[in-house]
Amino acid sequence: MAYLESIKVFVRVVELGSITSGGRDLRLTPAVASKRIKELEARLGTRLLNRTTRKLVPTEAGRMFYDQARRVISTLEDAEASLAGIASNPRGTLRVTAPLGIGRRLVAPLVPAYCEAFAHVDVRLRLSDRRVDLFEEELDVAFFLGTPRDSNLKQRKVADVPRVLCASPEYLERHGPVSNPRDLMEPAHHCLLLRFPRSPDYFWMLETEDGPRKIVANGRFDADEGDVLLNWALDGKGIANVPRFEVKDALKSGELVEILPETPPLPSVLTCLYPHRKLQDPKVQGFIDFMIPRCRAAMDA
């Protein structure tokens, strides 16, 4: 068993690039994780990892061992999942990711209730607005807002997510009203843009009487985290394009004002993504079944 645990530590260290990160993911201290790696190297009689100035990288032997070790762990996880399914008692660890806003407001509040209902499943929740690779990062479930690019993933729709353009009253007082979509392209206004490194030109899609209309939004500020944009909007720095449920309280209180309600942004689609090989894993299916109706109810509340 100790040998298998050492293999699991080695695999996560390779995938996450450091002993600290790999150990933390498995709830081990860096000292214990380092000890497991040394025990594994001693057993195999070869060095598996080299340290560079930035991260740990596998040696040639380490790469060869990792490829086989990852397959062994996947096989064991599938075997455990099959037994858990027979017993109708999901168990194991679920690695879940979600965008910041969705994660903080919808997913995270529901995780404790899920863990109470399924006492033998641990959830590791990672929140980020960046695009993640489920295979590379060994994730089980990803909440995704938008259109997935990877056709190798299974997906289940959670809900349509209405969006809204909004700004603070102070911003509109300083910069003037927004009376039509063309105003969003004028230098007088600042659109707050969610944009990632190497992303294409940014645009917003609005619903109009003539169908969807593409607007190349003008803006001085962009960020790769949606909550940063929301905070800028609340601080009077510009116009945000955000899911309505994220700002419903601010709209109700008057902290934010809806802009162009007659031509709102196209709604987004929230989906749960998971690899095909997880299809029969009861903890994955159980987690998604648990989360979908509760996420819908939270958005409608």
Side-chain angles (χ1 to χ4, degrees):
M1 181 63 70
Y3 178 49
L4 179 59
E5 292 302 315
S6 295
I7 292 175
K8 290 181 178 179
V9 172
F10 168 72
V11 168
R12 290 307 285 164
V13 166
V14 171
E15 290 169 346
L16 298 178
S18 78
I19 287 178
T20 298
S21 298
R24 184 187 299 118
D25 190 70
L26 295 171
R27 298 185 179 176
L28 301 174
T29 66
V32 172
S34 180
K35 180 181 178 182
R36 295 284 174 84
I37 295 295
K38 290 178 181 178
E39 289 173 349
L40 184 60
E41 290 179 328
R43 178 183 177 116
L44 297 174
T46 185
R47 179 181 290 277
L48 298 174
L49 297 169
N50 284 326
R51 184 181 297 277
T52 69
T53 55
R54 291 187 175 184
K55 60 187 294 187
L56 288 177
V57 295
T59 62
E60 182 177 358
R63 288 194 296 272
M64 293 174 59
F65 186 74
Y66 168 79
D67 290 339
Q68 298 299 322
R70 179 63 260 174
R71 294 190 183 97
V72 169
I73 291 175
S74 294
T75 300
L76 287 173
E77 289 175 344
D78 291 343
E80 290 176 354
S82 298
L83 290 176
I86 292 173
S88 299
N89 185 22
R91 62 182 60 240
T93 299
L94 267 174
R95 295 182 174 89
V96 181
T97 186
L100 283 170
I102 296 292
R104 287 173 177 162
R105 297 173 182 86
L106 293 183
V107 182
L110 295 172
V111 168
Y114 171 82
C115 289
E116 287 180 9
F118 299 91
H120 299 293
V121 181
D122 296 331
V123 176
R124 312 281 172 79
L125 181 61
R126 304 290 181 260
L127 304 184
S128 175
D129 280 332
R130 68 180 177 86
R131 291 184 181 274
V132 297
D133 187 316
L134 269 71
F135 298 101
E136 182 178 338
E137 300 185 37
E138 290 295 319
L139 296 165
D140 298 300
V141 180
F143 288 84
F144 189 87
L145 194 61
T147 304
R149 297 178 179 177
D150 194 337
S151 61
N152 294 318
L153 296 172
K154 296 287 288 182
Q155 59 179 287
R156 281 182 59 186
K157 181 177 176 179
V158 179
D160 290 317
V161 181
R163 303 184 70 88
V164 61
L165 298 178
C166 56
S168 71
E170 294 78 13
Y171 171 86
L172 295 172
E173 184 177 345
R174 289 197 309 271
H175 294 269
V178 180
S179 57
N180 63 73
R182 291 190 301 275
D183 292 342
L184 300 173
M185 297 184 283
E186 297 297 329
H189 283 288
H190 305 310
C191 298
L192 304 173
L193 312 178
L194 183 66
R195 183 152 48 188
F196 303 94
R198 298 180 296 279
S199 63
D201 291 339
Y202 196 87
F203 60 88
W204 288 345
M205 294 296 295
L206 305 185
E207 294 186 86
T208 72
E209 292 181 353
D210 300 322
R213 178 179 176 184
K214 179 179 177 180
I215 297 294
V216 180
N218 176 71
R220 298 177 58 199
F221 307 116
D222 67 55
D224 61 358
E225 291 189 1
D227 275 6
V228 171
L229 304 182
L230 179 54
N231 288 333
W232 281 342
L234 289 166
D235 199 34
K237 298 300 186 291
I239 301 167
N241 176 348
V242 291
R244 181 177 288 275
F245 81 90
E246 292 188 5
V247 294
K248 60 184 177 183
D249 291 338
L251 292 172
K252 185 176 180 179
S253 69
E255 291 179 276
L256 293 174
V257 177
E258 183 171 1
I259 292 171
L260 299 178
E262 69 282 0
T263 55
L266 292 179
S268 300
V269 178
L270 178 62
T271 56
C272 280
L273 307 178
Y274 55 100
H276 279 263
R277 72 178 183 85
K278 302 289 185 180
L279 182 61
Q280 301 303 321
D281 189 332
K283 67 177 182 290
V284 171
Q285 292 297 312
F287 179 79
I288 294 174
D289 289 342
F290 182 92
M291 298 299 285
I292 285 180
R294 290 165 176 81
C295 284
R296 288 172 180 166
M299 283 190 289
D300 293 337

